[in-house]
Amino acid sequence: MDICRSRVSALCLISLLFLAFGGPSYSVEGRRPKNVQVSLRAKWPGTSLLLEAGELLSKEWKDLFWEFSELWLQPDRASNCSTARCCLEIIMNDGRSLLSDHLGSIFEFSLTLRSASPRLALYRQLAEDSLSSFPVDDEVNSITAGSPSDGLKVDHSYTTNPLKSGESCCWVDTGSVLLFNVPDLLSWLDTSTDLEADTLEQPELFDFDHIYLGSRISNKITILYGALGMKCFQEFHVVLAEASKKGKIKYVTRPVLPSWCQATSNSYCTFVGASDAVNLGGYGVELALKNMEYKAMDDSTIKKGVTLEDPKTEDLSQEISGFIFSKILERRPELTGEIMFFREYLLSSTISDTLEVWELKDLGHQTAQRIVHALDPLQSMQEINQNFPSIVSSLSRMKLNDSIKEEIITNQRMVPAGKSLMALNGALINIEELPQKPILKLLSAPPPAGSNVFRIDFRSTYVHYLNNLEEDAMYRRWRSNINEILMPVFPGQLRYIRKNLFHAVYVIDPATTCGAETISMILSMVQNSVPMRFGVILYSSKLIKHIEENKSHLPGAAYDEGDDISSLIIRLFLYTKEIYGSQLAFQFLNNVCKIKDATDILDEEAIQVHQVEEAFVETVLAKAKSPPQDMLLKVEKEPKYKEEAEGTTHFVHKLGLSKLRCCLLLNGLVHEPSEDSSISAMNEELPRIQEQVYYGQITSNTDVLEKFLSESGYHRYNPQVIDGGKEINKFISLVKSYIAKDSILHDISYLHSPGTLDDLKPVTHLLAVNVTSRRGIKLLREGLRYLMAESRKARVGVLMNGDDLGLSPALLLAEIFDKASSIFGDKHNVLNFLDQLCSVYESQFMQAHSSDTTSLINFIDKVCELALANELPSGDLRSHLSNFSSATRINHLEKVFASMNGVSFSSDDLELLESVEYQHRIRHIHEIVDEAEWSNVDPDELTSNFYSDLIMLVSSALSNRERSPDRAHFEVLNAKHSAIILNSGNSSIHIDVVIDPLSASGQKLAPLLLLLWKRIQPSMRIVLNPMSSLVDLPLKNYYRFVIPSMDDFSSIDHSVNGPKAFFANMPLSKTLTMNLDVPEPWLVEPIIAIHDLDNILLENLGDTRTLPAVFELEALLLTGHCSEKDHDPPRGLQFILGTRQMPHLVDTLVMGNLGYWQMKVSPGVWYLQLAPGRSADLYVMKKNEGEKSSLSKDIIINDLRGKLVRLEVEKQRGKEHVELLSGSDDPLKNKKDDHTGWNANLLKWASGFIAGNGLSRKRNENSSDNKKIIRHGETINIFSVASGHLYERFLKIMILSVLKNTRRPVKFWFIKNYLSPQFKDVIPHMAQEYGFEYELITYKWPTWLHKQKEKQRIIWAYKILFLDVIFPISLKKVIFVDADQIVRTDMGILYDMDLKGKPLAYTPFCDNNKDMDGYRFWRQGFWKDHLRGRPYHISALYVVDLVKFRQMAAGDTLRVYYETLSKDPNSLSNLDQDLPNYAQHTVPIFSLPQEWLWCESWCGNSTKFKAKTIDLCNNPMTKEPKLQSAKRIVPEWVDLDAEARLLTSRVLGEELEIQQIPSSTDTDKKDDLESIAEL
């Protein structure tokens, strides 16, 4: 009955509405859907797509740049193109032609993403440096350095200066002269041919430079600045390339395209992209539904006639599905209940930020069902989680399939609910770094064998350990519970556990510089209690060389050890260890290091025997029981020390580690031997150990090293085999070649280890050998030795070719190998015979010519002789060789192409290759083939050769699509009902994903997965893992991930528009706030935003359909960690960054936490150095091993990823005990506001590349504006932060209130991050008009510090977390004043106040407004116990004594407290206020007198007349909007607001309606009288 009634009511209501309004179309005209559009552009000028393509190709392989350039040097290239799209397609096709299919797809996406644009911006900087480095003479066409007597100046008359006239599109920089045309260049080449390169001032080259193929290192460097496609570039290139080929010069080109050069271009395509802004992609944009509890919105921008949301009549005037309910209620008030019910129904079906508890319960499961049942699941997932508030209502009404819910719950027994994971071919990817992790890095990631960890099994008696964490006394106080490794620690903190978890074994030659420094580092790290077990494996480089020259055999009598210093050191080390123990033995090695340090020795040649013996005597003298000379004699005569020294060297050679010279084996993993690398290696290994501890695979009794090396240890290191080298292993399928009729694979006769001819061989080695080269013969002999070592799993096939064969011994050798393997393959000595034959051929017959008949006869005789000696039928062999067809053999050899890459491959490497390939690729195929049942196949065909061929073909076909064995971690999850399975048969990439679609991670992952699927078609297995029981909406935002497309490139003209985030049909009546989710190194700011991006209410747009917002990539982030050996990080150390000509453009301070520092940079070549003054006086920068200390470090920024730099500094001699931040000897302490020193430039930007506009503005003393007063005295520094138009409006009022109450100079410091473009436009005019200074400052949130997610909490954090590093060191004190505060006194009084030695001063909360007692949380519970009688202070106003703050490391302390507390979502509710109050036991607070801050919410009206400042605190009881409370509480606020708004409208050119504003004087007096009366 109730249902019937409700249906009748609904029908009646709908009829009523249609009768009343004639249908729902009445509102279409006035209330159209609204949209939001966001773009992000680079700060540097546009760059050419053609030049970007060349840079992208060069990153893949240097030579590709020149191959691509040759295509575009053709005069008619792309001459028929007149649009950006046409040019892009031709450029892409050219790029793809030089790359594989997979890399071609990545190249195309990289090009549209503009990822190479920063490299071209860098070249532009170098070009400007090139031009500015030389004096310009208007009368010459060459610009020179040096005097005419240098003989290098070549003058040619030129009508006008090419630089000033804008006609110079290309030029050549030789380091001593600039040449602007080809005749000048030819003349210079002719006159400078006799000069050596080292007599010239050579231009500096970098790794990214394009050096012409064949250019020699010793030649004179000539750099061509110009652009591919320009006429002048082609003319210069022809001359320079020819000169380079002749050996005259080293030809380098740097692509630069001046803006005025379009008319001289050979190709229209050269300029595509160069004239437009570089719009970037690869970031996210969020529109979050904002909590409008306090109605914090500026009403000054709302269109006339439109009212703010009101709690009582909220949204009734807004259109909902075509209805305006305020009008309906006016006409039918008697149906209020039914109408409101219908309104609520419509609301729930459109936009929702709340649902009932029962509707939320299964929302995650319902979402998963919608996704997996969609025709395009990935598209569906993206639409749902990126438009969730608009879709949630329909999702909650879906009928749920129980099988989906049950499968999700089952999976959540193995993976926590809501957890998101992603793996690329088994290698886990940190989702938290998305989209911060560069997309291209993800796309271009090769299929890693990857997540498998390859370890070198170094276990032997040749390892010498210095310490043992489990046994040594110095570690007894450490905890022994292995589960301690699972406990959280502060970032960068080490875990001190009495367990040998990390075995750091360094392979070194003790006589080398690297070996000496490694020993010193080991002793230092042990002394500093680094929780690692340290050891060494020693070897002699000279002995290694001798071993290699003697083909891997141990040295015999022919090796003279007399001059082998390394072997001597090793023997003395072994003796010392045996007699006196490891500690003294390592001390001996350290004493040898001291010899090198004392004599500045750079190599082992310079160390003398007597010096090593002196180090030995010094080491053992105190403990020696016999004369040291006797001990030296014993070591020399005792054979066991010599044998062990030779054995350890041979062991290193067999491991393949000697080529690395110095290396670290951390639990068998190969790393660089530096201290930083050691710590990084330990941090990388830590998660692997933690995982196994968590699952119980490692316990307190487990020998970690034994476990790891037994499970995945190999006895050989070769980066070509165990994925770790720079080259990516390439796999090819042999199937197509095998099934071809004339395939050479059918003609191969395989070689086998003795006695294994009839066994199945799962591993097949095919050696492509050039028999006319010594390198080819060496590879051939290594293959034979590999089989002679009795490999039972492998066979070797030899594919021979050669140069100019004819009827030569080389041709006979190929024939002999073929017949020996096919006819004599079962003979035991056949391998010995072939090895001896190769030796004889290499030494006597390799150089014989095909026409030399005598050599052929002699070679056949020698073959038969060797065959007879190895018991092979020599007669049959002679008969065959005398009559074989050379033409057939030559035709066979010509099918083989062998290209040696210069890397040798030994029998040990073949053994390693067999182990790795069988374990990770072939074993599973072998098992399947072995168990297969073959029907309808002749049993006689099922030979071992058939099985071996089958395994070879299948494994080669599958190698490109190989998935990592780590996939098993994902495949344990059920995927029948709640997963998306996407298969791509030809893809080499497999992606496993566990995802909560209704999470922030899901919002980032969904578009990325869709992008990957569209671009590279990987195989995907996506298991949906939503929260099973929700109590609140998981997403309250809209999200877009910005990626480029071909539509960004015009098909009409040359314009390139770039990608944008587009939000269509956004809710009109909901307040939204915009946030950008950009990669971590990006610093972005809005530059075009007419509307308040913090409070977007689309209904206020009027007739505008789309709200535009344009952001700019202001800078990239250069970050680093600075350390000082044996000391804490040098807190307060100052670095500066700039160019050679302008060394100080940016500066920064080092914080104590992890020695972290950061700077803003743009693409270019920069130089980092210690700042002049105290930093440079006390410290020097240390460079990499082997380099001396220096004052500067090169910084190259040529991509969008920023840079992380690790620096080590050390104190100057004689200043080891001088404190950097000493209060007594700080030269800046007594300087009051010294703005003339270098510190005044802190965080400012030079015009041009670094960042554009200077951010500090001084007072214009010459202005005659009558609003300014003459100010004198010490400057008051005031710091504030604001976000959104309303708080910027408050901020202007606060500024005016400060200025009107003091005659002292004032400087304001504003956090730049969240200021709108309008405010940044207005503030310079306001500063000039009112006579104050200001500076915009910023600090990017460090990656290692726990990050807040809500915008408001991030703003709060900026008020307190970075006070020690965000201001220049010269600033001594600063006052924070909330933006919504009104000042009624001279702030100079507060600025000069004595804080009694405390770093911070806050005002305690008032307690005289008794109505608020229930909200005073600090009087009870946790806060009452924690404060222990101390007051709880309000954070709206506080003073910071920066000198004291830095001296006591208050900033570091606050960040430690923050890191500990912030991970608990229930702590730090009011972050900026709770944190200093919580930490005041450690960072003491001076309590200001109560009158310094008054706010109505907490203070009674009786004290208002005393108030020096009034803050517009939120009132949790009334929740009164701020604008309303401001006008009511502060009488002068209205006048100040009118004054600020008038200035703003004048600056922005807006019309301001002058309303009748009542005079505030009478109101103010009345209000003060009322306050006094309450006393």
Side-chain angles (χ1 to χ4, degrees), residues 1306-1523:
V1306 182
K1307 181 170 183 178
F1308 292 96
W1309 303 78
F1310 304 123
I1311 298 289
K1312 183 182 181 182
N1313 303 35
Y1314 301 103
L1315 294 176
S1316 70
Q1318 288 93 327
F1319 184 86
K1320 285 181 278 190
D1321 288 341
V1322 169
I1323 195 66
H1325 297 275
M1326 191 173 184
Q1328 182 176 5
E1329 191 157 323
Y1330 288 92
F1332 64 87
E1333 296 179 48
Y1334 77 93
E1335 190 156 330
L1336 304 183
I1337 54 176
T1338 188
Y1339 202 82
K1340 181 80 172 184
W1341 196 284
T1343 54
W1344 48 265
L1345 194 65
H1346 179 70
K1347 193 165 187 177
Q1348 295 295 320
K1349 295 180 180 178
E1350 294 181 24
K1351 191 173 188 177
Q1352 184 58 56
R1353 291 181 63 80
I1354 295 174
I1355 293 171
W1356 288 344
Y1358 271 104
K1359 289 172 57 176
I1360 189 66
L1361 285 181
F1362 310 115
L1363 294 173
D1364 52 337
V1365 290
I1366 201 169
F1367 298 108
I1369 200 77
S1370 58
L1371 191 63
K1372 300 299 177 290
K1373 186 181 287 188
V1374 70
I1375 302 172
F1376 177 85
V1377 182
D1378 247 354
D1380 61 349
Q1381 205 162 145
I1382 296 90
V1383 175
R1384 288 182 157 185
T1385 192
D1386 186 350
M1387 293 299 278
I1389 301 171
L1390 180 59
Y1391 196 79
D1392 297 336
M1393 186 176 291
D1394 183 6
L1395 305 186
K1396 310 298 183 184
K1398 296 180 180 179
L1400 297 170
Y1402 286 77
T1403 307
F1405 263 90
C1406 297
D1407 58 2
N1408 53 336
N1409 186 354
K1410 302 305 179 184
D1411 293 339
M1412 300 298 292
D1413 283 352
Y1415 294 93
R1416 290 187 170 90
F1417 56 86
W1418 56 89
R1419 289 186 173 179
Q1420 55 193 347
F1422 164 80
W1423 276 106
K1424 180 180 179 181
D1425 296 337
H1426 178 76
L1427 292 173
R1428 298 197 298 273
R1430 288 183 171 87
Y1432 184 87
H1433 303 84
I1434 189 168
S1435 63
L1437 175 76
Y1438 56 89
V1439 187
V1440 187
D1441 182 340
L1442 289 169
V1443 175
K1444 187 67 177 178
F1445 193 86
R1446 292 180 179 123
Q1447 284 176 0
M1448 64 181 301
D1452 302 311
T1453 303
L1454 289 172
R1455 286 185 288 270
V1456 171
Y1457 277 124
Y1458 166 81
E1459 181 71 20
T1460 305
L1461 297 172
S1462 62
K1463 293 176 182 177
D1464 179 0
N1466 297 316
S1467 68
L1468 299 180
S1469 298
N1470 301 295
L1471 193 157
D1472 59 318
Q1473 197 163 268
D1474 288 347
L1475 184 60
N1477 278 290
Y1478 179 87
Q1480 63 179 300
H1481 301 288
T1482 308
V1483 183
I1485 295 175
F1486 175 77
S1487 294
L1488 296 171
Q1490 196 70 63
E1491 62 265 20
W1492 274 105
L1493 193 146
W1494 183 94
C1495 79
E1496 185 184 66
S1497 301
W1498 306 100
C1499 307
N1501 281 331
S1502 60
T1503 57
K1504 183 179 178 182
F1505 76 100
K1506 294 182 180 179
K1508 297 181 184 296
T1509 69
I1510 296 178
D1511 188 72
L1512 301 175
C1513 302
N1514 288 327
N1515 191 317
M1517 181 182 296
T1518 65
K1519 298 182 180 178
E1520 182 182 13
K1522 290 226 173 189
L1523 282 174

Side-chain angles (χ1 to χ4, degrees), residues 1057-1257:
N1057 300 315
K1060 297 176 178 64
F1062 191 76
F1063 297 81
N1065 300 326
M1066 288 292 100
L1068 301 179
S1069 59
K1070 295 291 181 181
T1071 303
L1072 306 171
T1073 185
M1074 183 183 293
N1075 296 305
L1076 259 61
D1077 183 15
V1078 298
E1080 199 62 48
W1082 293 11
L1083 287 166
V1084 301
E1085 62 177 3
I1087 57 170
I1088 300 176
I1090 300 172
H1091 302 275
D1092 186 355
L1093 300 184
D1094 245 23
N1095 301 282
I1096 300 172
L1097 192 60
L1098 294 176
E1099 66 182 0
N1100 291 340
L1101 289 186
D1103 295 333
T1104 304
R1105 290 290 304 279
T1106 300
L1107 183 149
V1110 179
F1111 287 78
E1112 185 175 72
L1113 177 60
E1114 180 203 4
L1116 297 165
L1117 204 62
L1118 171 65
T1119 60
H1121 298 275
C1122 182
S1123 62
E1124 182 183 359
K1125 190 175 182 180
D1126 302 330
H1127 293 83
D1128 291 333
R1131 183 170 48 84
L1133 191 69
Q1134 302 159 69
F1135 288 107
I1136 61 173
L1137 184 81
T1139 64
R1140 294 287 192 205
Q1141 291 78 20
M1142 299 179 65
H1144 183 194
L1145 294 174
V1146 193
D1147 44 48
T1148 191
L1149 300 175
V1150 175
M1151 65 171 61
N1153 303 117
L1154 308 179
Y1156 178 80
W1157 54 270
Q1158 66 172 239
M1159 288 178 172
K1160 297 192 293 184
V1161 293
S1162 64
V1165 177
W1166 311 106
Y1167 300 93
L1168 180 72
Q1169 57 186 311
L1170 291 165
R1174 195 167 183 81
S1175 294
D1177 291 343
L1178 295 182
Y1179 286 93
V1180 291
M1181 283 169 38
K1182 291 184 68 176
K1183 285 204 169 183
N1184 297 328
E1185 290 144 7
E1187 298 180 8
K1188 295 183 178 181
S1189 298
S1190 172
L1191 291 177
S1192 67
K1193 180 179 180 65
D1194 296 354
I1195 303 294
I1196 309 296
I1197 305 294
N1198 62 357
D1199 54 35
L1200 292 168
R1201 296 198 295 267
K1203 199 174 188 69
L1204 174 66
V1205 178
R1206 297 186 183 276
L1207 297 172
E1208 185 177 353
V1209 296
E1210 59 185 356
K1211 287 278 184 71
Q1212 300 266 21
R1213 287 190 177 182
K1215 300 184 179 180
E1216 292 82 2
H1217 302 293
V1218 180
E1219 292 295 327
L1220 180 64
L1221 293 178
S1222 170
S1224 59
D1225 56 5
D1226 188 343
L1228 296 171
K1229 181 167 185 178
N1230 297 320
K1231 294 183 182 180
K1232 300 294 185 180
D1233 260 345
D1234 180 8
H1235 298 290
T1236 61
W1238 70 269
N1239 288 293
N1241 292 319
L1242 188 82
L1243 296 174
K1244 296 179 187 176
W1245 296 98
S1247 58
F1249 283 136
I1250 279 274
N1253 298 322
L1255 297 183
S1256 180
R1257 303 288 188 271

Side-chain angles (χ1 to χ4, degrees), residues 465-751:
Y465 287 106
L466 173 60
N467 63 332
N468 188 323
L469 276 66
E470 298 174 6
E471 298 177 0
D472 293 353
M474 66 181 293
Y475 307 111
R476 284 178 184 168
R477 292 181 178 272
W478 292 10
R479 297 182 180 181
S480 59
N481 185 355
I482 189 68
N483 290 316
E484 291 285 334
I485 202 170
L486 302 177
M487 300 298 290
V489 298
F490 188 74
Q493 182 179 339
L494 302 179
R495 289 167 167 82
Y496 297 96
I497 302 172
R498 200 170 77 243
K499 179 77 176 167
N500 292 322
L501 300 176
F502 306 100
H503 294 72
V505 175
Y506 297 83
V507 182
I508 59 172
D509 181 338
T512 63
T513 300
C514 179
E517 291 180 347
T518 301
I519 292 297
S520 176
M521 179 194 70
I522 290 173
L523 293 173
S524 173
M525 294 176 77
V526 170
Q527 185 178 359
N528 291 328
S529 299
V530 175
M532 303 165 74
R533 190 181 190 195
F534 293 95
V536 294
I537 301 176
L538 306 176
Y539 73 94
S540 165
S541 299
K542 282 192 174 181
L543 191 49
I544 289 286
K545 184 178 180 181
H546 180 80
I547 292 172
E548 290 176 344
E549 289 173 352
N550 288 272
K551 307 189 188 304
S552 300
H553 297 299
L554 272 172
Y559 179 66
D560 181 14
E561 287 189 339
D563 60 347
D564 188 349
I565 300 298
S566 300
S567 291
L568 173 62
I569 295 173
I570 294 171
R571 283 184 281 134
L572 291 172
F573 171 84
L574 294 171
Y575 174 82
T576 307
K577 179 186 175 185
E578 179 183 352
I579 304 300
Y580 300 107
S582 296
Q583 295 289 334
L584 209 62
F586 275 86
Q587 187 57 51
F588 160 65
L589 294 179
N590 194 44
N591 288 341
V592 174
C593 299
K594 292 178 181 178
I595 293 175
K596 296 179 71 65
D597 291 340
T599 57
D600 198 23
I601 294 171
L602 296 179
D603 55 41
E604 61 273 24
E605 298 290 345
I607 300 181
Q608 303 297 319
V609 173
H610 72 88
Q611 292 175 313
V612 176
E613 292 176 346
E614 287 174 7
F616 173 75
V617 171
E618 180 185 348
T619 304
V620 303
L621 187 60
K623 295 190 176 183
K625 296 181 180 179
S626 58
Q629 291 75 13
D630 294 345
M631 290 186 282
L632 288 169
L633 189 62
K634 180 180 179 180
V635 171
E636 183 179 348
K637 292 184 176 180
E638 187 67 52
K640 69 175 182 178
Y641 300 120
K642 178 181 178 182
E643 291 170 2
E644 190 170 351
E646 292 176 351
T648 185
T649 299
H650 195 265
F651 177 67
V652 170
H653 179 264
K654 188 170 180 63
L655 288 178
L657 296 170
S658 57
K659 294 177 181 178
L660 299 179
R661 296 186 63 203
C662 257
C663 70
L664 159 66
L665 300 177
L666 188 106
N667 291 350
L669 299 173
V670 180
H671 295 276
E672 292 292 323
S674 67
E675 184 171 351
D676 283 346
S677 180
S678 302
I679 298 299
S680 297
M682 180 172 65
N683 291 332
E684 290 174 12
E685 182 80 330
L686 178 64
R688 304 185 189 107
I689 297 177
Q690 286 176 319
E691 181 181 4
Q692 297 204 29
V693 170
Y694 180 81
Y695 288 109
Q697 297 166 356
I698 291 179
T699 67
S700 295
N701 298 321
T702 304
D703 186 326
V704 174
L705 186 67
E706 186 75 21
K707 174 180 171 61
F708 282 164
L709 297 187
S710 298
E711 291 175 350
S712 58
Y714 294 91
H715 295 280
R716 177 77 175 172
Y717 175 75
N718 186 327
Q720 286 189 303
V721 178
I722 54 173
D723 306 309
K726 296 180 180 178
E727 298 294 329
I728 299 171
N729 290 333
K730 296 180 180 179
F731 297 92
I732 59 171
S733 173
L734 300 175
V735 176
K736 289 184 179 179
S737 299
Y738 190 83
I739 62 178
K741 285 186 178 180
D742 58 347
S743 173
I744 196 172
L745 296 177
H746 297 155
D747 302 329
I748 297 176
S749 296
Y750 292 94
L751 296 168

Side-chain angles (χ1 to χ4, degrees), residues 36 96 172 208 259 320 370 445 587 592 608 799 814 1010 1104-1105 1244:
V36 177
R96 286 194 75 106
V172 173
F208 52 77
S259 59
I320 300 173
R370 172 75 66 86
Q587 187 57 51
V592 174
Q608 303 297 319
L799 301 170
L1010 188 60
T1104 304
R1105 290 290 304 279
K1244 296 179 187 176

